[in-house]
């Protein structure tokens, strides 16, 4: 009976515990596909970034525009408005209303000197100072103030000292007496002379 038994199956080699597990055939194909997709996607993303950077640079260069070139045309003249006489508000002259006359200008010289007369030229016997008594008559048509400069001269005509007399708001045709006082002792025989008269209309 023992001769009729089938022979025992051949022994299968046992895998080594240190060998890597066998890779199924379908999984190896999937790994290659994933690598291909990753490389293609990276190229697409890089291309999109390059296009974005280029468009940004282009827009920035357009926004930073250079100033326009200077024109050779001559500058325009300012507006040639015709001048006009501006009247102050509410100060238009009314018909029939008297208009005040302009005051007379300040006068000095012979015209004003005719209004001044030396009535007395005397020397103080105590201190030896000279003075001149003056009469001023306003010969103008408006009130005026006067400044009279008087010189005191020795017997040879040399100026020893001087004095000033003033008056304010003298009415036309009115008169006033004033004194021009010299400063400093002078000898006997000193005379007085009107040097300058200034008439200032009020």
């Amino acid at each position: 009976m023992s001769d009729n038994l089938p022979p025992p199956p051949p022994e299968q080699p046992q895998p080594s515990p240190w060998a890597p597990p066998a890779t199924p055939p379908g999984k190896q194909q999937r790994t290659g596909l994933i690598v291909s997709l990753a490389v293609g996607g990276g190229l697409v993303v890089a291309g999109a970034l390059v296009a974005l950077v280029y468009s940004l640079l282009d827009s920035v260069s357009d926004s930073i525009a250079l100033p326009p070139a200077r024109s050779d045309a001559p500058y325009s003249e300012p507006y040639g408005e015709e001048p006009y006489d501006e009247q102050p508000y509410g100060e238009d002259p009314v018909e029939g209303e008297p208009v005040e006359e302009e005051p007379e200008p300040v006068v000095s010289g012979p015209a004003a000197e005719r209004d001044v007369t030396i009535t007395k030229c005397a020397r103080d016997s105590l201190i030896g100072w000279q003075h001149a008594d003056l009469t001023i008559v306003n010969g103008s048509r408006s009130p005026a103030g006067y400044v009279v400069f008087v010189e005191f001269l020795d017997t040879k005509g040399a100026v020893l000292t001087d004095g000033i007399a003033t008056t304010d708001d003298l009415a036309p045709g009115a008169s006033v007496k004033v004194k021009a006082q010299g400063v400093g002792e002078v000898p006997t025989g000193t005379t007085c002379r009107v040097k300058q008269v200034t008439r200032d209309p009020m």
Side-chain angles (χ1 to χ4, degrees), residues 34 37 53 66 88 90 102 118 135 137 141 148 153 161 168 176 182 189 191:
I34 290 172
L37 289 176
V53 170
L66 293 176
E102 291 285 334
I118 298 176
T135 299
V137 179
R141 294 172 298 172
V148 182
L153 315 173
T161 184
D168 293 325
V176 65
T191 57

Side-chain angles (χ1 to χ4, degrees), residues 17-102:
W18 306 107
T23 304
K27 189 172 182 182
Q28 186 174 5
Q29 293 178 359
R30 273 192 233 111
T31 303
L33 179 61
I34 290 172
V35 170
S36 299
L37 289 176
V39 171
L43 291 176
V44 170
V45 170
L49 286 175
V50 170
L52 179 63
V53 170
Y54 180 77
S55 64
L56 285 175
L57 290 176
D58 190 30
S59 64
V60 168
S61 65
D62 289 343
S63 64
I64 305 176
L66 293 176
R70 184 174 178 180
S71 173
D72 292 334
Y75 292 106
S76 61
E77 295 293 331
Y79 293 109
E81 297 181 0
E82 294 188 7
Y84 62 93
D85 295 331
E86 182 178 354
Q87 296 293 336
Y89 178 74
E91 296 185 5
D92 293 336
V94 180
E95 292 184 5
E97 182 180 338
V99 179
E100 294 184 5
E101 295 183 2
E102 291 285 334

Side-chain angles (χ1 to χ4, degrees), residues 121-179:
C121 182
R123 175 178 178 271
D124 189 293
S125 60
L126 296 176
I127 61 175
W129 289 18
Q130 193 86 5
H131 72 272
D133 292 336
L134 311 171
T135 299
I136 302 174
V137 179
N138 186 355
S140 66
R141 294 172 298 172
S142 62
Y146 285 81
V147 179
V148 182
F149 299 89
V150 178
E151 292 179 330
F152 302 101
L153 315 173
D154 63 10
T155 55
K156 296 181 180 179
V159 177
L160 300 173
T161 184
D162 54 17
I164 297 176
T166 62
T167 185
D168 293 325
D169 200 14
L170 187 62
S175 64
V176 65
K177 294 182 182 295
V178 293
K179 178 187 284 189

